[in-house]
Structures are given as C-alpha cells and as structure tokens.
Amino acid sequence: MTFLYTARGTYDKHYNEGGMSWDRYMEWSELKHLTELVSLDGMLNEILVEPDFDNADDWNYIHVIGHYQTGFFTSFDFVCKRLKKKEKFNLLAVMIEPDRECSKINPDGFEFIGYELLDQDFSISALTNCGSFFNETFLPEDLNNRGLIDGFEKAYDLQKRLLENHPDEYHADTNVIAVWRHKTIGR
C-alpha cells in the first residue's frame, strides 16, 4: 500500500480567512449536517505544503500523475518540513484508488475518516464543491459529517454512477481517494 501525505487548512464554523463563510457554504452546498469539511479540494481546504518548485530535490516528493500535480507528497517528513505554519490544520495520509476497504487500516498516528471523489486533475471534489448538481446520483445524507463517504463499495458505486449520469461533466470523472487524518498533529 502506498500512502501519500498532505496538509490542508481547516474549514468549519470557525473559518475566518476570506472566501465563502461557513454559513454561506452550508446554504449553498445543502450539506447542513457537516460539523467540519475535511476535503482534498484545494478551493475548500487550502493546501498548506509549500514546495520549492525551483529546487530539483523537492520534485522527488511532489506526487504527479500524468500532467497533474496531485497536491499530495510522497514523504510525511517532507510535508512537515514544507508546512505553512498554522495553529490548526489537517495532516492527512491518502491512498489513490485503493483496492480494498480502508476503514480498518490505520497508519501510525492516523485514523480513517472516509473516501473523497476528486476530479481527474485532483482539484475539485464532486462530493462537496459541485453544489446540488449531482443530486440524482447522491444526496447530502450519503456523506458523513466531514463531507466524505464512509464505505469502500459506496465510494466506487458513486464514482461509477457519477460518470454514467453525467458523462459530459468534467468533475463527474473522479478518482476515489481514501483519507486518514493525524490524531494529534494539527489538532
């Protein structure tokens, strides 16, 4: 199993860094049951890792698929070293397109929090940044209180149905990504 790592900003009722307020997001997204959003969508949960793109060594840690920088990194230590300092943040371990249920797999210090569906360029969450556009495929109650999917089979079922129901919509062609959050760092 290959784990990748990232650090993301928090987005909850205490969010006050510009952009869409939490209350406005709740209204727009119709995800009123969320207690926080732990998304891999960089527009909603800012990427807090700042690699030096001019440093050839940093490229050894930047995870790229095709032409896309995923926002994930190959080393836990690299993420911690390049972390933009914040009082509170989400230090995440992820696995792209896992081949088995991940809820019982817990890397040291991390706990499983769900599955994300990110579009093919790893930028937009089909679950939490498309409003009610995909309501015929899934409803708000299909997501947990962090905006993720709890079950492995359900994640792959939603991935398949999104593409079937919206074959011409770019953000419907997604990657299933398992997500774990560190229990203490950033909390």
Side-chain angles (χ1 to χ4, degrees):
M1 300 188 103
T2 302
F3 290 100
L4 301 169
Y5 303 91
T6 190
R8 302 295 172 115
T10 58
Y11 194 27
D12 60 17
K13 65 183 177 180
H14 304 292
Y15 179 79
N16 62 1
E17 296 187 33
M20 190 182 297
S21 72
W22 180 253
D23 291 337
R24 193 162 164 234
Y25 176 75
M26 290 288 97
E27 183 179 322
W28 172 80
S29 69
E30 300 178 7
L31 299 172
K32 298 178 185 346
H33 69 289
L34 297 186
T35 56
E36 65 178 319
L37 180 63
V38 183
S39 176
L40 299 173
D41 184 307
M43 292 176 64
L44 298 171
N45 292 87
E46 164 191 22
I47 298 173
L48 299 177
V49 181
E50 297 180 328
D52 179 355
F53 294 107
D54 295 326
N55 180 337
D57 188 53
D58 278 18
W59 282 99
N60 293 322
Y61 303 103
I62 299 168
H63 187 70
V64 177
I65 295 179
H67 302 292
Y68 301 111
Q69 291 180 40
T70 61
F72 310 135
F73 303 89
T74 59
S75 163
F76 174 85
D77 291 336
F78 177 81
V79 168
C80 291
K81 181 174 131 182
R82 295 289 191 202
L83 179 64
K84 180 172 31 170
K85 298 299 178 199
K86 291 270 189 179
E87 184 176 319
K88 188 176 176 188
F89 58 92
N90 291 308
L91 181 57
L92 305 173
V94 302
M95 185 180 302
I96 300 170
E97 298 293 338
D99 62 0
R100 62 182 160 271
E101 175 63 55
C102 295
S103 62
K104 302 288 189 234
I105 301 166
N106 288 307
D108 192 30
F110 289 85
E111 65 183 337
F112 181 75
I113 59 173
Y115 298 92
E116 171 74 280
L117 297 180
L118 276 186
D119 63 11
Q120 290 299 306
D121 65 1
F122 296 89
S123 62
I124 302 295
S125 170
L127 301 176
T128 57
N129 201 359
C130 292
S132 59
F133 189 74
F134 297 137
N135 273 0
E136 71 278 354
T137 303
F138 68 90
L139 296 171
E141 54 267 23
D142 289 319
L143 306 183
N144 66 25
N145 67 343
R146 295 179 182 106
L148 300 169
I149 301 164
D150 283 328
F152 175 79
E153 289 180 18
K154 186 175 188 176
Y156 277 99
D157 178 59
L158 290 180
Q159 178 193 44
K160 178 181 172 233
R161 290 191 300 132
L162 272 171
L163 199 51
E164 288 172 354
N165 293 341
H166 303 277
D168 299 324
E169 173 56 42
Y170 182 77
H171 302 304
D173 187 6
T174 61
N175 298 284
V176 172
I177 304 173
V179 183
W180 292 263
R181 178 165 61 183
H182 201 278
K183 295 176 186 176
T184 58
I185 299 174
R187 308 303 319 137

